[in-house]
Amino acid sequence: MANPSRGTRGMAVAPHSLASQSALAVLREGGNAVEAMIAATATIAVVYPHMNGIGGDSFWLVRTPADGVVGIDACGASAAGVSRADYAGKSAIPFRGGSAAITVAATMSGWHAAYRHSVERLGGRLPLSRLLDDAIHYARSGIAVTQSQHMNTAKKLPELQDIHGFAGAFLVDGRVPATGDVFRQPRMGATLEQLARAGLDDFYRGDLARTIARDLDAAGSPVTLDDLERHQALLRPPLELTHSKGRIYNMPPPTQGLVSLLILGQLDRLGIDRFDHLSPDYVHAAVEATKRAFRVRDRYITDPAAMQANGAPDPQSFLAASNLDAETAAIDMAKAAPWGAGKGPADTIWMGVVDGAGNAVSLIQSIYHEFGSGVVLGQTGINWQNRGASFSLDARHINTLEPRKKPFHTLNPAMALFDDGRVMVYGNMGGDGQPQSQSAVFTRVAVYGMNPQDAIAAPRWLLGRTWGQTSDTLKLEGRFPDATVAELRRRGHDVEMYPDYDETLGHAGCVIRHPNGNFEGGFDPRSDGGVAAY
């Protein structure tokens, strides 16, 4: 481990600058990338509460030079006592309230697994009390409300104001907090202090778990103490794509990590280096590859246990060269293929940290919709996710609601190990947009040689639905050339124009460590984020 008096070189990126700074502070104290990420993910849970929180799920990719890349699956299953019969007469599970808070919040188990990995594999020695210290401070002392928090609170208030505990947690003196207002979360501060004292597993098998279970029952959620006690984060081998530039990694089901890799595998075969990155050919190729990847997703991806029981192919098999060749050959570069409905929104954050030793973390953390279920637990201040609302009530659907089943997740963190020795972590929030923005960032860096900041800031596209949106159009930011927009429409795309740097296109980020030890990174100007380095 680096000398704590000198610190550990590294770089972090997050959609809120305070989270990047929390990671940087840990690196400067000699912490490793995993420790830095735990500090960042605790801070982001407090300072960007409309986007994520400890009442949600998370997925991690962790790379160490000695052990390679491992995934941490911190996804909670549905309650043992929930069933489709509970929603008789409804066409879908509600998005808000106790009847939407039907899956275990697994984020804390991901922090716990990552902390153990740091101690056991990296010699991490910073105590939890240090790693959670910034988050506790921001919860108790308050933060300045961002424009994003203000706008999302105001927009969603009509559907959230009467939900159990919401108003008391997210309104200030009974009103939507204005940008710049001081926003305090004393109950969250006390909860994080309890976790720092008792350990992160207290969330599932301790005094905190018993408090959470009582509050969930009072809110009308079917999640019980037994459901919490049964939960464990899982260490999972990641999916791996062999690319002409190196190896790319992402999470296996129940995430749509396979989609992200399928898109990049097809684009690699289409020879997109012959196109300009703002051209209609580039966007068309990416969109058509996305459609083919989404067909695989919608047919197969759900809880891996259910996939295995139903005889679904091994997800890694879709990344075989022969399969990617066949998918690519089916793309018509002159005409848009038909397109159906997307999967829907996702309210999420992505963050990345790489340290001077080459340890790297790509993390994504979510409560699903803005403010999740809207349910805020009375004693702990935890805003519970509504990820279970993504289950189908159709018994024939692959993602049908069943007891103790993991829901399909749009979440997927990405990582690349280039043949030239560079290590890159990158990702994005935003439902159907996550794999598409990942393809934009990766190809603009790896294929077009752009620096991370320019690759992220460049105009993006999004086919389908994302957070805050329900249309299935091809969304383009206004900075694309008029000729590109016209040609995409001529090829049959249903184009919808969006303003420059529109938050709808998601919050992306990227960090690269070069073989000589230098770093470069980029944050999304569509967010409140920042890059921090030492």
Side-chain angles (χ1 to χ4, degrees), residues 280-533:
D281 288 318
Y282 172 64
V283 178
H284 178 84
V287 170
E288 295 306 296
T290 297
K291 290 175 183 177
R292 299 205 63 80
F294 279 172
R295 289 188 181 98
V296 173
R297 175 193 74 178
D298 295 347
R299 181 176 179 183
Y300 294 109
I301 297 180
T302 184
D303 185 326
M307 290 177 67
Q308 185 175 23
N310 294 330
D314 177 3
Q316 183 66 43
S317 69
F318 289 102
L319 300 173
S322 58
N323 183 73
L324 289 169
D325 290 344
E327 292 287 353
T328 307
I331 292 176
D332 185 343
M333 285 298 295
K335 183 180 179 182
W339 164 244
K343 282 286 187 180
D347 196 40
T348 303
I349 60 91
W350 175 88
M351 300 189 295
V353 178
V354 185
D355 67 25
N359 303 306
V361 182
S362 180
L363 170 136
I364 198 158
Q365 186 165 280
S366 176
I367 50 175
Y368 196 31
H369 288 201
E370 300 92 334
F371 302 102
S373 67
V375 168
V376 179
L377 304 186
Q379 296 185 68
T380 61
I382 298 171
N383 180 199
W384 210 262
Q385 68 182 352
N386 65 337
R387 181 59 62 174
S390 67
F391 282 118
S392 172
L393 295 178
D394 182 349
R396 300 164 296 178
H397 196 282
I398 61 166
N399 200 39
T400 189
L401 174 62
E402 293 174 346
R404 292 181 180 154
K405 181 179 181 179
K406 290 188 175 184
F408 164 81
H409 259 281
T410 52
L411 305 188
N412 64 114
M415 182 180 295
L417 304 180
F418 291 102
D419 290 338
D420 63 13
R422 288 177 295 165
V423 177
M424 182 168 91
V425 293
Y426 64 105
N428 186 74
M429 54 80 82
D432 283 352
Q434 286 186 38
Q436 299 179 69
S437 290
Q438 284 187 23
S439 72
V441 172
F442 179 86
T443 55
R444 283 168 168 161
V445 170
V447 178
Y448 297 107
M450 298 171 68
N451 67 64
Q453 189 60 57
D454 288 345
I456 291 166
R460 295 204 290 263
W461 65 90
L462 191 154
L463 175 70
R465 306 180 186 188
T466 185
W467 68 292
Q469 303 293 322
T470 57
S471 68
D472 288 298
T473 56
L474 173 58
K475 301 162 181 65
L476 295 181
E477 283 189 287
R479 290 171 293 139
F480 276 103
D482 292 342
T484 293
V485 177
E487 177 60 18
L488 289 169
R489 284 177 169 148
R490 192 194 67 78
R491 295 187 194 185
H493 296 281
D494 181 14
V495 175
E496 182 180 2
M497 299 305 298
Y498 274 68
D500 296 355
Y501 301 105
D502 193 286
E503 193 177 32
T504 301
L505 279 294
H507 303 159
C510 177
V511 172
I512 299 173
R513 181 184 183 274
H514 291 266
N516 64 3
N518 287 339
F519 291 85
E520 59 179 337
F523 75 97
D524 206 316
R526 303 163 185 86
S527 74
D528 299 290
V531 174

Side-chain angles (χ1 to χ4, degrees), residues 163-244:
I163 301 299
H164 182 97
F166 178 85
F170 289 109
L171 302 184
V172 176
D173 298 326
R175 61 173 176 81
V176 173
T179 302
D181 279 357
V182 176
F183 179 71
R184 296 182 176 88
Q185 302 166 79
R187 289 175 296 168
M188 179 57 61
T191 296
L192 291 171
E193 286 179 334
Q194 167 73 8
L195 289 165
R197 287 193 304 269
L200 300 173
D201 201 47
D202 197 54
F203 193 99
Y204 304 97
R205 283 162 283 275
D207 291 340
L208 184 59
R210 288 183 281 275
T211 299
I212 289 171
R214 288 193 297 269
D215 279 356
L216 284 168
D217 182 63
S221 167
V223 176
T224 66
L225 179 60
D226 182 65
D227 293 319
L228 294 172
E229 290 176 338
R230 285 176 175 268
H231 175 76
Q232 294 275 4
L234 301 174
L235 297 183
R236 305 277 304 281
L239 298 177
E240 179 179 342
L241 171 68
T242 300
H243 190 276
S244 62

